[in-house]
Amino acid sequence: MSNSTNDRKIEHIRVIEEDPDTDRQGDHFASWHLMHRALPEIDYAEVDPGVSFLGKRLSFPLLISSMTGGDHELVLRVNRNLAQAAEATGVAMGVGSQRVMFTHPESCNSFALRQWAPTTVLLGNLGAVQLNYGFGLEEAQSAINIMQADGLFLHLNPLQEAVQPEGDRNFKGLAAKIAALQAELTTPLILKEVGCGMTPADIELGLAAGIRYFDLAGSGGTSWSRIEHHRRGRGDLGLRMQDWGIPTPVALDWARPYQERATFIASGGLRNGLDMIKSVILGGSLCGLAAPLLKPAMESAEAVIAVIEGVKQEFTTAMFLLGVTRVEQLHLNDALLWRR
Amino acid sequence: MSNSTNDRKIEHIRVIEEDPDTDRQGDHFASWHLMHRALPEIDYAEVDPGVSFLGKRLSFPLLISSMTGGDHELVLRVNRNLAQAAEATGVAMGVGSQRVMFTHPESCNSFALRQWAPTTVLLGNLGAVQLNYGFGLEEAQSAINIMQADGLFLHLNPLQEAVQPEGDRNFKGLAAKIAALQAELTTPLILKEVGCGMTPADIELGLAAGIRYFDLAGSGGTSWSRIEHHRRGRGDLGLRMQDWGIPTPVALDWARPYQERATFIASGGLRNGLDMIKSVILGGSLCGLAAPLLKPAMESAEAVIAVIEGVKQEFTTAMFLLGVTRVEQLHLNDALLWRR
Amino acid sequence: MSNSTNDRKIEHIRVIEEDPDTDRQGDHFASWHLMHRALPEIDYAEVDPGVSFLGKRLSFPLLISSMTGGDHELVLRVNRNLAQAAEATGVAMGVGSQRVMFTHPESCNSFALRQWAPTTVLLGNLGAVQLNYGFGLEEAQSAINIMQADGLFLHLNPLQEAVQPEGDRNFKGLAAKIAALQAELTTPLILKEVGCGMTPADIELGLAAGIRYFDLAGSGGTSWSRIEHHRRGRGDLGLRMQDWGIPTPVALDWARPYQERATFIASGGLRNGLDMIKSVILGGSLCGLAAPLLKPAMESAEAVIAVIEGVKQEFTTAMFLLGVTRVEQLHLNDALLWRR
Amino acid sequence: MSNSTNDRKIEHIRVIEEDPDTDRQGDHFASWHLMHRALPEIDYAEVDPGVSFLGKRLSFPLLISSMTGGDHELVLRVNRNLAQAAEATGVAMGVGSQRVMFTHPESCNSFALRQWAPTTVLLGNLGAVQLNYGFGLEEAQSAINIMQADGLFLHLNPLQEAVQPEGDRNFKGLAAKIAALQAELTTPLILKEVGCGMTPADIELGLAAGIRYFDLAGSGGTSWSRIEHHRRGRGDLGLRMQDWGIPTPVALDWARPYQERATFIASGGLRNGLDMIKSVILGGSLCGLAAPLLKPAMESAEAVIAVIEGVKQEFTTAMFLLGVTRVEQLHLNDALLWRR
Ligand SMILES: Cc1cc2nc3c(=O)[nH]c(=O)nc-3n(C[C@H](O)[C@H](O)[C@@H](O)COP(=O)(O)O)c2cc1C
Ligand SMILES: Cc1cc2nc3c(=O)[nH]c(=O)nc-3n(C[C@H](O)[C@H](O)[C@@H](O)COP(=O)(O)O)c2cc1C
Ligand SMILES: Cc1cc2nc3c(=O)[nH]c(=O)nc-3n(C[C@H](O)[C@H](O)[C@@H](O)COP(=O)(O)O)c2cc1C
Ligand SMILES: Cc1cc2nc3c(=O)[nH]c(=O)nc-3n(C[C@H](O)[C@H](O)[C@@H](O)COP(=O)(O)O)c2cc1C
């Protein structure tokens, strides 16, 4: 099993490369429109898309979403390129699941990213369900330590586990274990889905467990059900379930009542600066992109930077056209969106 | 005529094989969405999709819908394969119309399925309109006896009869005859359509007649109008009427006010475990599939079992992701569905 | 000009033959659905689709809509075939504009249809706008007399006249002239459009003028704007305006408040018995079809009869499935229709 | 830079010629329908589509929208053809940005259009943002003088400037400068967008600045973001933003509350007389078309006249069918429109 945990990440990348439909292209943001200002009454040069997150300043509210890690040349390269780009562009970066660290100690190199990203926000990642399979404070702390992480994602992936032949599917009593873990840690935990979205009942459980950060990671983009379908080999379960979940803008909308009690990250199917700006208006404090950054990350840090700069320019241009100079003016500002 | 009743079933199967559009693929369940839980707080291993129906336990709420019967090698094989699969997987099974028994006594073999399915729910089938053409208690009791059936479907197929050149079209006074029949039988009757759905006025007539079980059998799947069109040879009536009827989820929705007084089976266009779970939430106690099981049934019991296991896995996975361990928690639980 | 009036009808037929898109196939009835009855509790044999119109009995509420007339072998044949078929099937028939009678007396033959249709409803036809161009009581009475007509259509075709290079476009003061004409005639006038529909303001003018019959003739079927485009030769006006107007079911819906004061004919885009039955439920007392009968009418009376019988069978089957035996039960019976 | 201002216009024309998708064909007017009158009770000959604008009479409410100007043979020709056609058909004409006059004095010829259009409405054009880059009363007055213009468009194009590499992006404090300029000029200023629409906040700023004329210039037609994308060479910003903005009919709808305080021009994606008539009903006093007139303008004045006559005929026919003889009867007359 330990080996499979390490190899799985490479398999995932290959599947994504070969089957473009693992990105579901739900385009769920298309039904929200932005309110143009012909007379924005601001100077583009004054538009500042910067935000603070976990006490650090980011150049704009982008998170390179959790993707990979492990003991493979490709994975090392991807993570280094992403970390260098994150530092260069001033955005946050998450890593893929660090579970592999505990079976393949050599994989630690792929997570030791502070050398490449000394100042920006770095976020660790473990599967929440592992708390039911022997993981606890020690593993969480190690995962944080190796990255000198500013926060630790605990991902919730019940669909992926259900489709994986080798899936860990006991999600019982997790909320209590998450509460216990957060109580013992000084670093904040961030609960995240991986592409099916979180719903009000989930958020309420998280809040009761002392969680203050949620990455809604909704449907419309990367489908883990479809990815695992290819690894599974038999049956249609993964295809049948490939679009299961709550589209990201819908999940944001439903999270509205909890905005005073928690900070939300929007991810899942965001593909450009316009999706990002809609996400921020709908209540996202940070916007995660994963799949669109994978291919450039396999190439070079420069390639990642180029994509990020393009997205940033879209985001900044949209701010300009909305007539706002600060991201705070976007957040939950319904007057900036309209629907037919 | 007696011969045609026996041959007709073979003709139907051939038409379905040759014209894939007899399955209308209405996909009417697509506008209902399921409420994902990122933190289901249950163990997949504890999810029990089992239900009780007519006093017996089923492994999950699947009914192999009424399809066939008669004196033909193919028909014998199909029914045996279905019965063995029903027993092996613990699901209910209905047979096609047993009217042929009374013209072709040799066809009884195709209904003597208790040998292959000793413990599960078996359901007989007669056309309700035959009550206006000489059938009565005796035929109903024979139909039940030969199968040691747990219940007897009385199918209502006015559209099919109208399109059939040889159709029996006097549907007058049927409600009273159904009431009389149910009064004399100890086995429950189940009123069913065959792909056009039942509407509130129909349910009210049925309730007044003492019926407590309804299979709504709505539109979106197998179209008998289109099937009979091919047998008819001339005119476009069958094509024109091919999409007539109430889509299954709509029929379920309209049946809501009668849930306390009756048990509903959902069928017509259900194609997988997700359609099934939506049907149960909308008020179905059992979910019928016909056309998707026909081809595997022509092959082997194993082929049928494989399809059923796949559907069951989809159903179970969906329960897991909804955070429910018992089917009772699904039934009429509106909080689990959402629409745009 | 006189010649062009006679030749125009032939040109129209040629255009319709060559350009199938003159039938706009708007399918506007598709958003209305019919309420199926699984237990109709009637005998198909008792379903009587017959209606009365202008004091005569029709076998079902079909009108062969006004199409043609003139001094041409083809036109003579078409009208004779239609008249024979109308008589044979017991439906109403209208003729095309009789204006040509007054410039080409030989064309009278094409309107002398009582010989072929001694008992059924026959309806004459003149353009209302001709009342502004010299026509009056005398012409109206002649048009009625030659047909021994039961009623006289006055068609309103402002779009067609606007697109025709030679169009008569003075529609001023028509309401008063229509009122005067109806006052002098014993035969009822029927105001009709030719494919753009009538709106409440039109109906109110007609009612005030003493008219009690309206053929709404809405959009979705034959487009006179597109037909005249082909005859026009230059400019795009006819194409641009080809879908102008009110879809027939919408026009019926809007006519609802006037149902107690007038009788409405539904036409324009009706293509089968299901469109007809929806039209009757929405308030039509008679249903007109034109284009679908043109091609068979060029062939033979038998061909027309075959089409009519098919439509009648659809209509009767729908009545059966709605559980009604009389057309009166359909009229304005909202419970028989549903929309999503 | 001065050279680029002159050449840019030619580049724009080439891009539009080569990439038909710079016209976004949003067809946003399609969801509004017009109320047909079968009995219009008017004479087509009495329909007068004429309107007054800025004290002059136009044959119908068409504006040839601002397009071009500069020191190029092609540009000279285009403007002369447009001016001659405007005069011949009695419609208003705007010119493209006159900024080039101040860097390339020879370009003045292209704006000296009174010789070709002595009597009709001519409108000058400058970018409002230039008020932040040194322009003021002097330039505005020169722009007006050379054309003997009846009004001066100040265009607002923040998206175009943001996509242009050389864009002028300081839109701060513009409202105050616009107010000052209008206070000093006797000629009215008309604030206009260039294809993204104006929203209520913009209109309120304009009203406060003393502006009484607005050209909403919404999305759905010419996309400057896409045009500039081709000139930009790198990155996807221009494509990503190509459909940004408020569709013209939506912008008109939102401008409704300001109708008593200002006069609105509708432009952006209008393509024929039906779009125009809907625009007038929705509150437009004048209707601008740009892209559809570019190609004919490169040919001849006659070609432009032919297009304008066609559009006028569509507009007039629609008035006839709505039963109105005067454009005032259209303006804000909601009873003439319907939506599904
Ligand atoms: C290649 C790849 C690997 C991923 N691996 C992880 C992971 O290990 N842990 C995790 O929490 N999410 C993982 N994700 C999911 C993303 O972090 C995120 O939740 C998802 O919503 C991003 O969506 P997008 O790809 O549609 O932008 C991965 C995504 C991709 C594309
Ligand atoms: C091949 C075939 C034969 C059928 N024969 C019968 C029958 O004899 N009696 C009956 O009540 N329904 C019959 N049905 C209809 C189904 O039992 C059921 O009502 C229908 O809704 C199943 O829909 P589906 O095929 O879309 O799953 C038949 C269906 C098929 C596909
Ligand atoms: C070939 C043809 C000729 C027609 N000629 C006339 C006519 O002379 N007078 C008239 O009132 N309507 C005429 N109509 C219009 C129809 O009578 C009717 O109003 C129209 O709504 C029928 O629509 P449909 O073709 O979509 O069924 C004609 C229609 C067709 C197809
Ligand atoms: C070739 C071309 C050049 C244009 N140049 C200008 C310009 O210089 N100034 C301006 O205000 N608008 C300019 N426009 C925009 C139009 O005036 C108008 O605002 C736009 O809404 C017309 O839309 P349409 O092309 O979709 O009809 C131009 C449009 C085109 C097609």
Side-chain angles (χ1 to χ4, degrees):
Chain A
M1 185 217 75
S2 62
N3 199 54
S4 65
T5 307
N6 192 39
D7 293 344
R8 224 186 286 159
K9 280 287 160 191
I10 294 293
E11 283 184 62
H12 289 155
I13 292 174
R14 294 297 167 225
V15 166
I16 291 172
E17 273 187 305
E18 276 158 36
D19 175 8
D21 290 340
T22 57
D23 183 347
R24 304 300 303 149
Q25 296 175 14
D27 205 12
H28 296 304
F29 290 94
S31 48
W32 274 266
H33 300 276
L34 292 154
M35 186 61 68
H36 175 69
R37 289 299 308 276
L39 261 174
E41 282 284 307
I42 56 175
D43 184 352
Y44 185 99
E46 286 175 2
V47 175
D48 176 5
V51 293
S52 291
F53 191 75
L54 293 175
K56 293 187 173 171
R57 196 75 195 157
L58 302 175
S59 79
F60 80 119
L62 181 71
L63 163 69
I64 302 175
S65 274
S66 315
M67 280 198 277
T68 200
D71 178 32
H72 274 279
E73 193 281 326
L74 174 63
V75 161
L76 272 164
R77 186 150 41 95
V78 162
N79 270 4
R80 197 190 51 211
N81 288 341
L82 291 173
Q84 289 176 333
E87 184 71 21
T89 58
V91 305
M93 175 189 169
V95 293
S97 176
Q98 295 174 259
R99 178 183 173 196
V100 66
M101 280 171 51
F102 305 99
T103 55
H104 289 65
E106 333 75 72
S107 71
C108 286
N109 289 335
S110 70
F111 299 113
L113 300 174
R114 267 296 167 218
Q115 51 183 320
W116 316 111
T119 70
T120 199
V121 173
L122 286 183
L123 302 166
N125 190 301
L126 283 177
V129 78
Q130 296 311 318
L131 298 178
N132 273 347
Y133 291 86
F135 276 39
L137 178 61
E138 192 182 332
E139 287 77 8
Q141 197 61 63
S142 301
I144 293 165
N145 290 348
I146 193 147
M147 298 188 64
Q148 299 172 44
D150 301 285
L152 178 66
F153 278 119
L154 282 189
H155 69 252
L156 297 161
N157 61 341
L159 173 54
Q160 184 182 16
E161 300 288 349
V163 176
Q164 269 180 34
E166 73 270 18
D168 294 324
R169 300 175 191 169
N170 179 9
F171 276 69
K172 198 169 174 176
L174 274 190
K177 293 191 180 164
I178 292 167
L181 182 61
Q182 180 64 88
E184 290 169 311
L185 280 176
T186 51
T187 310
L189 293 175
I190 311 172
L191 276 192
K192 82 182 281 280
E193 240 289 346
V194 301
C196 297
M198 300 182 76
T199 45
D202 301 320
I203 296 170
E204 292 194 0
L205 277 179
L207 285 172
I211 300 299
R212 295 295 169 264
Y213 295 86
F214 298 87
D215 182 341
L216 298 172
S219 67
T222 300
S223 168
W224 281 101
S225 188
R226 189 174 173 108
I227 293 173
E228 297 294 350
H229 163 74
H230 290 291
R231 295 185 52 244
R232 197 177 152 87
R234 59 180 197 77
D236 275 346
L237 183 64
L239 284 183
R240 187 76 67 217
M241 307 297 292
Q242 67 183 348
D243 290 316
W244 175 281
I246 314 298
T248 304
V250 175
L252 281 165
D253 214 36
W254 291 354
R256 184 67 65 109
Y258 307 102
Q259 283 284 354
E260 306 223 327
R261 286 179 278 159
T263 297
F264 292 94
I265 302 176
S267 76
L270 280 72
R271 293 294 169 261
N272 53 60
L274 295 184
D275 292 345
M276 280 184 66
I277 210 145
K278 291 172 187 175
S279 293
V280 173
I281 297 173
L282 287 168
S285 291
L286 213 57
C287 301
L289 271 77
L293 298 170
L294 181 59
K295 220 177 136 182
M298 292 166 75
E299 229 178 274
S300 65
E302 289 65 39
V304 179
I305 291 170
V307 172
I308 292 176
E309 290 300 351
V311 170
K312 185 177 174 185
Q313 202 170 29
E314 292 157 12
F315 188 87
T316 310
T317 300
M319 282 182 72
F320 173 58
L321 298 176
L322 291 168
V324 308
T325 55
R326 298 287 170 269
V327 174
E328 300 87 88
Q329 296 166 274
L330 297 173
H331 199 247
L332 299 170
N333 186 348
D334 291 320
L336 302 179
L337 282 184
W338 60 280
R339 304 187 75 169
R340 306 240 179 170
Chain B
M1 184 217 73
S2 63
N3 199 54
S4 65
T5 306
N6 193 37
D7 293 345
R8 224 188 285 160
K9 280 286 159 191
I10 294 292
E11 284 183 61
H12 289 154
I13 291 173
R14 295 295 166 227
V15 166
I16 291 172
E17 273 187 306
E18 275 158 39
D19 175 8
D21 290 340
T22 56
D23 183 346
R24 303 300 303 148
Q25 295 175 14
D27 205 13
H28 296 305
F29 290 93
S31 48
W32 274 266
H33 301 276
L34 292 155
M35 186 61 67
H36 175 68
R37 288 299 308 276
L39 260 174
E41 283 284 306
I42 57 174
D43 184 353
Y44 185 100
E46 286 176 1
V47 175
D48 176 4
V51 293
S52 290
F53 191 75
L54 293 175
K56 295 187 173 171
R57 196 75 195 158
L58 303 175
S59 80
F60 80 120
L62 181 71
L63 163 70
I64 301 175
S65 275
S66 314
M67 280 197 278
T68 199
D71 178 31
H72 274 279
E73 193 281 326
L74 174 64
V75 161
L76 272 164
R77 185 152 40 97
V78 161
N79 270 3
R80 197 190 52 212
N81 288 340
L82 290 173
Q84 289 175 332
E87 183 71 21
T89 58
V91 305
M93 176 188 170
V95 292
S97 176
Q98 294 174 258
R99 178 183 173 195
V100 65
M101 279 171 52
F102 305 99
T103 55
H104 290 63
E106 333 77 70
S107 70
C108 286
N109 289 335
S110 69
F111 300 112
L113 300 174
R114 267 297 167 218
Q115 50 183 323
W116 316 112
T119 71
T120 199
V121 174
L122 287 183
L123 302 167
N125 191 301
L126 284 177
V129 79
Q130 297 312 318
L131 298 178
N132 272 347
Y133 292 86
F135 277 37
L137 178 61
E138 191 182 334
E139 287 77 9
Q141 198 61 62
S142 302
I144 292 164
N145 290 348
I146 193 148
M147 297 187 66
Q148 299 171 43
D150 301 285
L152 178 66
F153 278 119
L154 282 190
H155 69 253
L156 298 161
N157 60 343
L159 173 55
Q160 185 183 14
E161 300 289 349
V163 177
Q164 270 180 33
E166 73 270 17
D168 294 326
R169 302 176 190 168
N170 179 10
F171 276 69
K172 199 170 173 175
L174 275 190
K177 293 192 180 162
I178 293 167
L181 182 62
Q182 180 63 89
E184 291 170 308
L185 281 175
T186 52
T187 310
L189 293 175
I190 310 172
L191 276 192
K192 82 183 284 277
E193 239 288 346
V194 301
C196 298
M198 300 182 75
T199 45
D202 301 319
I203 296 170
E204 292 194 0
L205 276 179
L207 285 172
I211 300 299
R212 294 295 170 263
Y213 295 86
F214 297 88
D215 182 341
L216 298 172
S219 68
T222 299
S223 168
W224 281 101
S225 187
R226 189 172 174 109
I227 293 172
E228 297 294 352
H229 163 74
H230 289 291
R231 296 185 51 245
R232 197 176 153 87
R234 61 180 195 75
D236 275 346
L237 183 64
L239 284 183
R240 187 76 68 216
M241 307 297 292
Q242 68 184 347
D243 290 315
W244 175 281
I246 314 298
T248 304
V250 175
L252 281 165
D253 213 37
W254 291 354
R256 183 69 64 110
Y258 307 101
Q259 284 283 354
E260 307 223 328
R261 286 180 277 158
T263 296
F264 292 94
I265 302 176
S267 77
L270 280 72
R271 294 293 169 260
N272 53 60
L274 295 184
D275 291 346
M276 279 183 66
I277 210 145
K278 291 173 187 176
S279 293
V280 173
I281 296 173
L282 287 168
S285 291
L286 213 58
C287 301
L289 270 78
L293 298 169
L294 181 59
K295 221 178 135 182
M298 292 164 76
E299 228 178 274
S300 66
E302 289 65 39
V304 178
I305 292 171
V307 171
I308 291 177
E309 291 298 352
V311 170
K312 185 177 174 187
Q313 203 171 29
E314 292 157 11
F315 188 86
T316 310
T317 300
M319 282 182 72
F320 173 57
L321 297 175
L322 291 168
V324 308
T325 54
R326 298 285 170 273
V327 173
E328 301 86 88
Q329 297 166 274
L330 296 173
H331 199 246
L332 299 170
N333 186 349
D334 291 320
L336 302 179
L337 282 184
W338 60 280
R339 304 187 76 170
R340 306 241 177 171
Chain C
M1 184 217 72
S2 64
N3 199 54
S4 65
T5 305
N6 193 37
D7 293 344
R8 224 188 284 161
K9 280 286 160 191
I10 295 292
E11 282 183 62
H12 288 154
I13 291 172
R14 294 296 167 226
V15 166
I16 289 172
E17 274 187 305
E18 276 158 38
D19 175 8
D21 290 340
T22 57
D23 183 346
R24 303 300 303 147
Q25 296 174 13
D27 205 13
H28 296 305
F29 289 94
S31 47
W32 273 266
H33 301 276
L34 292 155
M35 186 62 68
H36 175 67
R37 288 300 307 277
L39 261 174
E41 283 284 308
I42 56 175
D43 184 354
Y44 185 99
E46 286 175 1
V47 175
D48 175 5
V51 293
S52 290
F53 191 75
L54 293 174
K56 293 187 174 170
R57 196 75 195 158
L58 303 175
S59 79
F60 80 119
L62 181 71
L63 163 69
I64 301 175
S65 274
S66 315
M67 282 197 277
T68 199
D71 178 31
H72 273 279
E73 193 280 327
L74 174 63
V75 161
L76 270 165
R77 185 153 38 98
V78 162
N79 271 3
R80 197 190 52 210
N81 289 340
L82 289 173
Q84 288 176 330
E87 183 71 21
T89 59
V91 305
M93 175 188 170
V95 293
S97 176
Q98 295 174 258
R99 179 181 173 196
V100 66
M101 281 171 50
F102 306 97
T103 55
H104 289 64
E106 334 75 72
S107 70
C108 286
N109 289 336
S110 69
F111 300 112
L113 299 174
R114 267 297 167 218
Q115 52 184 319
W116 315 112
T119 72
T120 199
V121 173
L122 286 182
L123 302 166
N125 190 301
L126 282 177
V129 77
Q130 296 311 319
L131 298 178
N132 273 347
Y133 292 86
F135 276 39
L137 178 60
E138 191 182 334
E139 287 77 9
Q141 198 61 64
S142 303
I144 292 164
N145 290 348
I146 193 149
M147 297 188 64
Q148 298 171 45
D150 302 284
L152 178 66
F153 277 120
L154 282 189
H155 69 252
L156 298 161
N157 61 343
L159 173 55
Q160 184 182 15
E161 301 288 350
V163 177
Q164 269 180 35
E166 73 270 20
D168 294 325
R169 301 175 191 169
N170 179 11
F171 275 69
K172 199 169 173 173
L174 274 190
K177 293 192 180 162
I178 292 168
L181 181 62
Q182 180 64 88
E184 292 168 310
L185 281 175
T186 51
T187 310
L189 293 175
I190 310 173
L191 275 192
K192 82 182 283 278
E193 239 288 345
V194 301
C196 298
M198 300 183 75
T199 45
D202 301 318
I203 296 170
E204 292 193 1
L205 277 178
L207 285 171
I211 300 298
R212 294 296 170 262
Y213 295 86
F214 298 87
D215 182 341
L216 298 172
S219 67
T222 300
S223 169
W224 281 101
S225 187
R226 187 171 175 110
I227 294 172
E228 296 293 352
H229 162 75
H230 290 291
R231 296 184 53 245
R232 198 177 152 86
R234 61 179 194 77
D236 275 347
L237 182 64
L239 285 183
R240 187 76 66 218
M241 307 297 292
Q242 68 185 347
D243 290 316
W244 175 281
I246 314 299
T248 305
V250 175
L252 280 165
D253 214 37
W254 292 353
R256 183 70 62 108
Y258 307 101
Q259 284 283 355
E260 308 224 326
R261 285 179 278 158
T263 297
F264 292 94
I265 302 175
S267 77
L270 279 71
R271 293 293 170 262
N272 52 60
L274 295 185
D275 292 345
M276 279 183 66
I277 210 145
K278 292 173 187 176
S279 293
V280 173
I281 296 173
L282 287 167
S285 291
L286 214 57
C287 301
L289 269 78
L293 299 169
L294 181 58
K295 220 177 136 184
M298 291 164 76
E299 229 178 273
S300 66
E302 289 65 38
V304 179
I305 291 171
V307 172
I308 291 177
E309 290 299 350
V311 170
K312 185 178 174 187
Q313 203 171 28
E314 293 157 11
F315 188 86
T316 310
T317 300
M319 282 182 72
F320 173 57
L321 297 175
L322 291 167
V324 308
T325 54
R326 297 286 170 272
V327 173
E328 302 85 88
Q329 296 166 274
L330 297 173
H331 200 248
L332 298 170
N333 186 349
D334 290 319
L336 302 179
L337 281 184
W338 59 280
R339 304 187 75 170
R340 306 239 179 175
Chain D
M1 185 217 74
S2 63
N3 200 54
S4 67
T5 306
N6 193 37
D7 293 345
R8 223 187 286 162
K9 280 288 161 190
I10 295 291
E11 284 183 62
H12 289 155
I13 291 173
R14 294 296 168 226
V15 166
I16 290 172
E17 274 188 306
E18 276 157 38
D19 175 9
D21 290 341
T22 57
D23 183 346
R24 304 300 304 150
Q25 295 174 15
D27 204 13
H28 296 304
F29 289 94
S31 47
W32 273 266
H33 301 276
L34 292 155
M35 186 62 68
H36 175 68
R37 289 300 307 277
L39 261 174
E41 283 283 307
I42 56 175
D43 184 352
Y44 185 100
E46 286 175 2
V47 175
D48 176 5
V51 293
S52 290
F53 191 74
L54 293 175
K56 293 186 174 172
R57 197 74 196 159
L58 302 176
S59 80
F60 79 120
L62 181 70
L63 163 69
I64 301 175
S65 274
S66 315
M67 280 197 277
T68 200
D71 179 32
H72 275 279
E73 193 279 326
L74 174 64
V75 161
L76 272 165
R77 185 152 40 96
V78 162
N79 270 3
R80 196 190 53 211
N81 288 340
L82 290 173
Q84 289 176 332
E87 184 71 22
T89 58
V91 305
M93 175 189 170
V95 292
S97 176
Q98 294 174 260
R99 179 181 172 197
V100 66
M101 281 171 50
F102 305 98
T103 54
H104 289 64
E106 333 75 72
S107 71
C108 286
N109 289 335
S110 69
F111 301 111
L113 300 174
R114 267 298 168 218
Q115 53 184 320
W116 317 111
T119 70
T120 199
V121 173
L122 286 183
L123 302 166
N125 190 300
L126 282 177
V129 78
Q130 297 311 319
L131 298 178
N132 272 348
Y133 292 85
F135 276 40
L137 178 60
E138 193 181 332
E139 287 78 8
Q141 197 61 64
S142 302
I144 293 163
N145 290 348
I146 194 149
M147 298 188 63
Q148 299 173 45
D150 301 284
L152 178 65
F153 277 119
L154 281 190
H155 68 252
L156 297 161
N157 60 343
L159 173 54
Q160 184 183 15
E161 300 289 348
V163 177
Q164 270 180 34
E166 73 269 19
D168 295 324
R169 301 175 190 168
N170 179 10
F171 276 69
K172 199 170 173 175
L174 275 190
K177 293 191 180 161
I178 292 168
L181 182 62
Q182 180 63 88
E184 291 169 311
L185 281 175
T186 52
T187 310
L189 292 175
I190 310 172
L191 275 192
K192 82 184 282 279
E193 239 290 345
V194 301
C196 299
M198 300 183 75
T199 45
D202 300 319
I203 296 170
E204 292 194 0
L205 277 178
L207 286 171
I211 300 299
R212 294 296 169 262
Y213 295 87
F214 299 88
D215 182 341
L216 298 173
S219 67
T222 300
S223 168
W224 281 102
S225 187
R226 188 173 174 108
I227 293 173
E228 295 294 351
H229 163 74
H230 290 290
R231 295 186 52 245
R232 195 177 155 85
R234 62 180 194 77
D236 274 349
L237 183 64
L239 285 183
R240 187 76 67 218
M241 308 296 293
Q242 68 185 346
D243 290 317
W244 175 280
I246 314 299
T248 304
V250 175
L252 280 164
D253 213 37
W254 292 354
R256 182 70 64 109
Y258 307 101
Q259 284 283 355
E260 307 223 327
R261 286 179 276 157
T263 296
F264 293 94
I265 302 176
S267 77
L270 280 71
R271 293 294 169 262
N272 53 60
L274 295 184
D275 292 345
M276 280 184 66
I277 210 146
K278 292 173 187 176
S279 293
V280 173
I281 296 173
L282 288 167
S285 291
L286 213 58
C287 302
L289 271 77
L293 298 169
L294 181 59
K295 221 177 135 183
M298 291 164 77
E299 230 179 274
S300 66
E302 289 65 39
V304 178
I305 291 170
V307 172
I308 292 176
E309 291 300 351
V311 170
K312 185 177 174 187
Q313 201 171 30
E314 292 157 12
F315 188 87
T316 309
T317 300
M319 282 182 71
F320 173 58
L321 297 175
L322 291 168
V324 308
T325 55
R326 298 286 171 270
V327 174
E328 302 86 88
Q329 296 166 273
L330 298 173
H331 199 246
L332 299 169
N333 186 348
D334 290 319
L336 302 179
L337 281 185
W338 59 281
R339 304 186 75 170
R340 306 240 178 172

